[in-house]
Each structure stands twice: as structure tokens, then as C-alpha cells.
Amino acid sequence: MDKLRQILITAMVNFSRWPKSPQIWLGFSLGFIACFLLSGKVVDFAGEQETLLQMFEPFIWTFGDSNSILLISLCLLLLFGDLPNLNNEAPLFLVRTSRLCWMAGQVLYLAIATTVFTGFILLSTCLLCGARAFSGNMWSETAAILGYSGIGRSIAVPAFVKVLELTFPYPCTLHIFALMLGYSLVLSALIFFFNLLRGRMGMLAGAAFSGFGFFLTPEVISGWLHLDSLEKSTANIIFGWLSPLNHATYYMHSFGYDNLPRLWDSYGFFIAGSLFIYLLAFWRVRNYSFNFTGTER
């Protein structure tokens, strides 16, 4: 129990910095602004049509798209770019606990903070649709118009027909939230590991990881290679399996009639990926050289 208590205290010390941390406030502020800009098209369209929205639909249509997930996940670079935070308390914790307990506290903090940020994004999109929302587990008239008329594509809102036909808002929201969370956990683990591995290289590693996912999206590959429809379909399947960003995109999954990853394949991919990176981080911290000059590393 003492070890568990030490891990929890180590994690909570990181959270105690939040109220006075400009980069935390900036990260959450940019996340809210991004939600406002990205979901505004859905809310504005509902206002123009004088129709209602299911309260989770702005989240579904906004973050069912890989570009939106990529943009919002970059806020994690602000939240975790300075980890591990070797502040005034760090020497005391390293003396009073083991390196592994300290490391477990950092991992716990990363997992909880990433979940909190993803939950904040979900809550923000719900609040932004305001009085035009209802809570029932059914698609709205706005969703039907966007999905079946083709208007959604013309205003860059990915309201996909197979989403409307094969699921309902509540389970769809849960899956999109879980996929975003899985992608964000891998990204935050990568930032942390590279900060341990080589100075403060975590932000560069996180940006490279996001760029890798973006350049492996079928749209980008097809544009570069000028693929025909058959080749594009094949590329869609291949890069649907290879790209972490495609794994985080809800409509890039098999719903029983194609060879794309299933949802549980992507959940396994993210769990295995984050655990592997955290194991590397535990290995690295065993030989990590902690150097303190006053409160500076």
C-alpha cells in the first residue's frame, strides 16, 4: 500500500501545477477554440436549416475525421512537452521513493491527464451546440440531411451514411472517444519517452508521429501517386492498417463488409503501442542521469 500511495502522490504533484501553469491553460484554451472552429460548421448548418442536433453529433461529425483528431492531439505537445518535470519536489521524491515508483506516478499522471483532456473536448462540443440539442439516442434531422443529401461533403462535414445506418449516437460517441483517447495515449507516451531518451526531444517526436499519420492517410497518398479508383481502394486498406491516425478515425474501420481494421483491432493497437512505449520508458529511467542545479535540470 505504501508503494501505491507514493505513486498516487507523485501523480497528484503534477496536477498541483495546473492552476499556475500557463502552458496547461494555453493547451486547454486552444483545445476549446479548435472545438469551436471545427464544430461551428455543424451548429451553423443546423441553425440555417432550423433543425435540432443530437447533443453528441457535433463531436461525432467533427472528430470522426482524421484531420480534426490530428489538430486537437497537437495540444498534447503543450500539456506534456516539459515532462518529466524536475521541479523543486523531484529530488525529494527520488530520495524518498524508488525510481520505478516515481516513474509509475508519471505514467499514471499521463494516463489521467490525457483522459481529462479528451473528456474536456467532448464536453466542449456538447456545450457549443447549446439550446439546439436533444439527448435522445437517435440521429437528428440535421444528421440525415448531412449524410444522405451530400451537403455534408460540400461543407467538409464527414457525416457518413454507414455511421447513420449501422449505429446510434451513444455507442458511436463512446467509440470515437475511445479511439481519440487511444491515439492520444500513444502520442503522450511517445513525448514522455523521447524527453527521457534525449534531452527535450519529445515535442519533435510527437510532431513527427503526427506527421507520419497524416502522410499515410489515403487522401494524401492518392493525391501524391495519382491512383485510380481500384488502386485507391487497395491503398485505403493498406494504410488503414499502417497509419496510427487512420486507426483513430472511426469511419476507417470495418463494419463487416471490407478488410479495414475492426474497432477492437485498433483498441489492441493503441493498448499494445502505449504499453510498449511505457516499458521502454521504464527501461530508460533505470539508467537516466538526473542532474539538478538548484531547480534547473
Side-chain angles (χ1 to χ4, degrees):
M1 291 299 293
D2 285 342
K3 295 291 186 183
L4 179 59
R5 181 172 171 272
Q6 291 171 358
I7 291 170
L8 291 173
I9 292 175
T10 304
M12 293 309 298
V13 166
N14 285 313
F15 282 110
S16 69
R17 299 186 301 110
W18 279 27
K20 297 181 180 179
S21 174
Q23 70 188 62
I24 297 295
W25 283 97
L26 181 59
F28 277 86
S29 298
L30 289 177
F32 183 82
I33 293 170
C35 288
F36 175 76
L37 296 175
L38 293 170
S39 63
K41 293 177 290 185
V42 180
V43 178
D44 291 344
F45 179 79
E48 293 169 1
Q49 299 295 315
E50 298 184 352
T51 55
L52 295 177
L53 285 163
Q54 205 281 340
M55 65 178 183
F56 292 129
E57 282 179 357
F59 178 79
I60 292 170
W61 304 137
T62 300
F63 296 104
D65 177 62
S66 60
N67 292 330
S68 298
I69 296 171
L70 175 64
L71 178 62
I72 210 71
S73 66
L74 292 177
C75 294
L76 296 175
L77 297 178
L78 283 172
L79 299 184
F80 304 133
D82 64 341
L83 287 179
N85 184 36
L86 303 181
N87 53 17
N88 296 348
E89 298 87 0
L92 174 63
F93 275 95
L94 290 168
V95 170
R96 297 292 297 273
T97 69
S98 67
R99 289 189 176 209
L100 293 183
C101 281
W102 177 85
M103 180 65 187
Q106 305 302 315
V107 171
L108 179 62
Y109 165 72
L110 281 170
I112 296 175
T114 304
T115 305
V116 169
F117 180 75
T118 309
F120 171 78
I121 297 302
L122 172 59
L123 179 62
S124 297
T125 55
C126 292
L127 292 176
L128 288 169
C129 62
R132 306 204 66 87
F134 65 91
S135 60
N137 190 23
M138 63 180 70
W139 298 113
S140 67
E141 184 181 352
T142 306
I145 296 172
L146 289 172
Y148 289 101
S149 68
I151 296 176
R153 187 174 296 276
S154 68
I155 63 172
V157 175
F160 294 96
V161 173
K162 70 178 180 180
V163 174
L164 297 174
E165 293 179 341
L166 296 175
T167 188
F168 290 95
Y170 284 5
C172 185
T173 301
L174 183 61
H175 283 301
I176 292 176
F177 179 86
L179 291 170
M180 276 187 66
L181 178 60
Y183 179 83
S184 299
L185 285 171
V186 173
L187 178 59
S188 61
L190 200 67
I191 295 169
F192 182 69
F193 171 66
F194 273 90
N195 277 344
L196 284 175
L197 186 65
R198 189 176 295 276
R200 294 292 177 179
M201 294 292 291
M203 294 187 72
L204 289 176
F209 176 78
S210 298
F212 172 76
F214 173 74
F215 289 124
L216 287 184
T217 54
E219 294 80 6
V220 173
I221 293 294
S222 300
W224 281 356
L225 302 180
H226 305 289
L227 304 179
D228 59 33
S229 58
L230 180 59
E231 291 171 334
K232 185 176 180 180
S233 177
T234 304
N236 194 56
I237 294 172
I238 293 173
F239 294 109
W241 282 94
L242 292 179
S243 169
L245 188 58
N246 286 338
H247 276 285
T249 307
Y250 183 70
Y251 74 88
M252 287 294 296
H253 288 85
S254 172
F255 292 91
Y257 51 83
D258 52 35
N259 295 315
L260 289 167
R262 296 169 299 174
L263 288 167
W264 292 104
D265 293 328
S266 292
Y267 294 146
F269 173 85
F270 290 130
I271 291 171
S274 56
L275 287 178
F276 177 71
I277 297 170
Y278 283 136
L279 286 174
L280 290 177
F282 273 99
W283 166 79
R284 175 68 181 106
V285 83
R286 294 173 66 90
N287 300 308
Y288 186 69
S289 177
F290 291 94
N291 298 311
F292 299 96
T293 304
T295 60
E296 298 277 335
R297 180 186 159 203

